[in-house]
Amino acid sequence: MRQAHTVEQVRAAEAALMARLPEGALMQRAAHGLAHAVLDLLAPGTYGRRVLLLVGSGDNGGDALYAGAVLARRGLAVTAWLLSDRAHEGGVAALRAAGGTTTTTGPTTGPGASRPDVVVDGIVGIGGQPGLRPAAAAALAGLAGVPLVAVDTPSGVGVDTGELPADGDHARADVTITFGTHKLAHLVDPAAAASGVVHLVDIGLDPYLPAPAAEALQTADVAALLPRPSADAQKYSRGVVGVRAGSAAYPGAGLLSVAGASCGLAGMVRYVGDAVVHDLVREQHPEVVGQGRVQAWVVGSGSGDGAAGTLAEALADGVPTVVDADALAHVTRGGRSDLVLTPHAGELARMLDVDREVVEARPLAHARAAADAYGTVVLLKGPHTLVVHPDGRVRVTTTGLPWLATAGAGDVLGGLVGALAAAGLEPYDAASVGSWLHGAAATQASRGGPITAGDVARALPRVARDVLRQSHP
């Protein structure tokens, strides 16, 4: 499980660990991890390469300076641009002793000036406020195009919120080296997009960290949660998922919802809906049957004007229900706790009566607000999909790729989550496991190129099989 903690949680864990270590030992652990990450980025042939440290007044600046000293001893040309008059004294001394240099005015510029091979962002630590001072923003702007390695988090982002400052001044890293645990900004968009590739350096915090503020499932976690048939299983005991989706106007939405549900993780799929869609389902999914008892429903994709009626019919059965698309407009606040609501940013904006841009700027805050208002699990679709439980738990999906932003992909996801709920997973687990599998299937189907929603649905059984094989080879 990849875990993310708040600044307060990290600070408390660091204090507990430092009480058991010699003074400065924790910063040295972080600095050495940072230095080796820079060496890996520049390899092969690191000798003589130019590294510029952007150094602020906090501990991140100290980490950067001590890392610079390690790099200077390895033969790299290291310069620290001190952006504050309160730079870490021990770090400055260590860098100079190792042969590095410092400047308060920035590197030499002009036609003959050499640009650094890499910039290390040690401007603002995790305790800083979002945004940058003008001098720091100008320094970053002048170095645009040079690979940037952020210390802990990109300077200027909202560490505990995953948000970006309103004025837009923040670092955008190619690589972020973080220490002890991930922070929310590494997982939650839009700050996650500014973090680049995140590498975690173990500095010994694990025994002192509390329950995380958010987590991201990994392959082993998904394997542990995936439902498996018992030795005496039959199709009914494995779970029956019902799909009420699609219409004469939008038959594809119903067909793709059925395709997601027909991934093999539930024992049976039932389709109830428009005759046009029913004929398409019968033709392409002959294993799907009609009306009858189910353990979970999937409702809303492509339902159009019939969404209110199909939602009411599904809810009348009293089983977990995945509510998507058109049906989201008819969900009652503070109603059923066994629902999974699956909006994208625009749909969530309508549910909360705010502008879409506001949701996109603060997705975690608004997903939490919706989970609290509606009293049920909310799956907010996006580059890093969020699954939020009304009790405060958060999971972030880190599988997937930009090609997954394609018409009908959300219909497939709804069907998949419904199948997992019918197979016995609690709504929170069904949503987060379904989102993980959906992203992994897209990656496998894509192979670096474009995909359709149908490609994702067809890849789901293979991905589930691969996950199960990794856990029980």
Side-chain angles (χ1 to χ4, degrees):
M1 188 80 71
R2 182 177 298 170
Q3 298 184 335
H5 291 82
T6 66
V7 172
E8 182 179 0
Q9 290 174 322
V10 172
R11 290 298 192 218
E14 287 176 340
L17 178 57
M18 285 190 291
R20 303 173 64 89
L21 294 175
E23 184 177 355
L26 196 61
M27 182 171 285
Q28 290 298 326
R29 289 182 182 181
H32 278 78
L34 174 60
H36 286 286
V38 172
L39 290 169
D40 288 343
L41 179 65
L42 292 173
T46 58
Y47 187 83
R49 304 290 288 277
R50 297 178 299 277
V51 178
L52 177 64
L53 314 175
L54 299 181
V55 179
S57 60
D59 286 346
N60 275 29
D63 294 336
L65 289 163
Y66 279 116
V70 174
L71 295 171
R73 289 195 293 270
R74 293 290 191 97
L76 284 75
V78 182
T79 298
W81 184 352
L82 307 181
L83 297 168
S84 169
D85 57 5
R86 294 187 292 114
H88 192 283
E89 292 183 4
V92 170
L95 176 63
R96 290 172 175 165
T101 61
T102 62
T103 176
T104 58
T105 59
T108 303
T109 59
S114 297
R115 285 168 70 80
D117 296 298
V118 67
V119 173
V120 176
D121 163 26
I123 302 170
V124 180
I126 61 173
Q129 296 298 312
L132 293 174
R133 293 180 178 178
L140 286 168
L143 294 161
V146 180
L148 182 72
V149 177
V151 182
D152 225 354
T153 60
S155 290
V157 304
V159 179
D160 277 351
T161 64
E163 298 168 16
L164 299 179
D167 61 12
D169 286 337
H170 62 90
R172 184 171 292 276
D174 297 283
V175 178
T176 295
I177 309 302
T178 194
F179 312 114
T181 182
H182 290 82
K183 286 72 182 177
L184 285 165
H186 300 139
L187 299 181
V188 176
D189 286 325
S195 299
V197 177
V198 180
H199 176 65
L200 177 64
V201 174
D202 182 6
I203 58 173
L205 289 189
D206 280 356
Y208 307 96
L209 289 167
E215 54 191 17
L217 298 179
Q218 304 300 294
T219 303
D221 307 308
V222 174
L225 288 167
L226 272 179
R228 294 169 172 79
S230 61
D232 59 349
Q234 37 94 354
K235 60 189 177 185
Y236 297 108
S237 67
R238 290 190 57 213
V240 181
V241 56
V243 177
R244 294 177 179 269
S247 60
Y250 305 104
L255 191 61
L256 288 167
S257 296
V258 168
S262 297
C263 58
L265 292 171
M268 180 186 287
V269 181
R270 297 184 182 276
Y271 178 76
V272 180
D274 187 272
V276 173
V277 183
H278 194 279
D279 289 343
L280 291 172
V281 169
R282 184 185 304 150
E283 178 182 331
Q284 297 190 33
H285 297 279
E287 73 280 5
V288 174
V289 298
Q291 180 79 50
R293 293 185 61 186
V294 301
Q295 279 72 55
W297 279 108
V298 179
V299 180
S301 297
S303 296
D305 294 338
T310 57
L311 177 61
E313 291 167 354
L315 295 181
D317 277 353
V319 297
T321 302
V322 179
V323 184
D324 191 24
D326 299 317
L328 290 167
H330 305 287
V331 178
T332 303
R333 293 191 179 208
R336 293 265 296 271
S337 63
D338 60 347
L339 308 184
V340 177
L341 312 184
T342 62
H344 55 57
E347 290 162 340
L348 187 65
R350 289 190 290 272
M351 292 165 62
L352 295 174
D353 194 24
V354 298
D355 291 336
R356 178 179 185 137
E357 293 75 14
V358 174
V359 173
E360 291 174 333
R362 304 182 63 210
L364 179 57
H366 288 91
R368 281 173 164 161
D372 182 62
Y374 285 86
T376 194
V377 172
V378 172
L379 184 158
L380 175 57
K381 292 177 282 195
H384 280 187
T385 290
L386 298 173
V387 178
V388 181
H389 194 284
D391 68 8
R393 287 177 286 163
V394 176
R395 283 181 179 157
V396 186
T397 302
T398 55
T399 57
L401 72 176
W403 291 113
L404 184 52
T406 186
D411 305 329
V412 173
L413 174 60
L416 170 59
V417 173
L420 290 164
L425 294 191
E426 293 297 318
Y428 182 65
D429 288 336
S432 47
V433 170
S435 180
W436 190 99
L437 290 171
H438 187 250
T443 301
Q444 186 178 105
S446 167
R447 299 182 182 272
I451 52 175
T452 65
D455 296 330
V456 178
R458 285 186 288 273
L460 286 171
R462 296 196 303 272
V463 168
R465 177 197 62 208
D466 291 345
V467 169
L468 292 169
R469 282 181 174 175
Q470 288 185 47
S471 62
H472 296 286

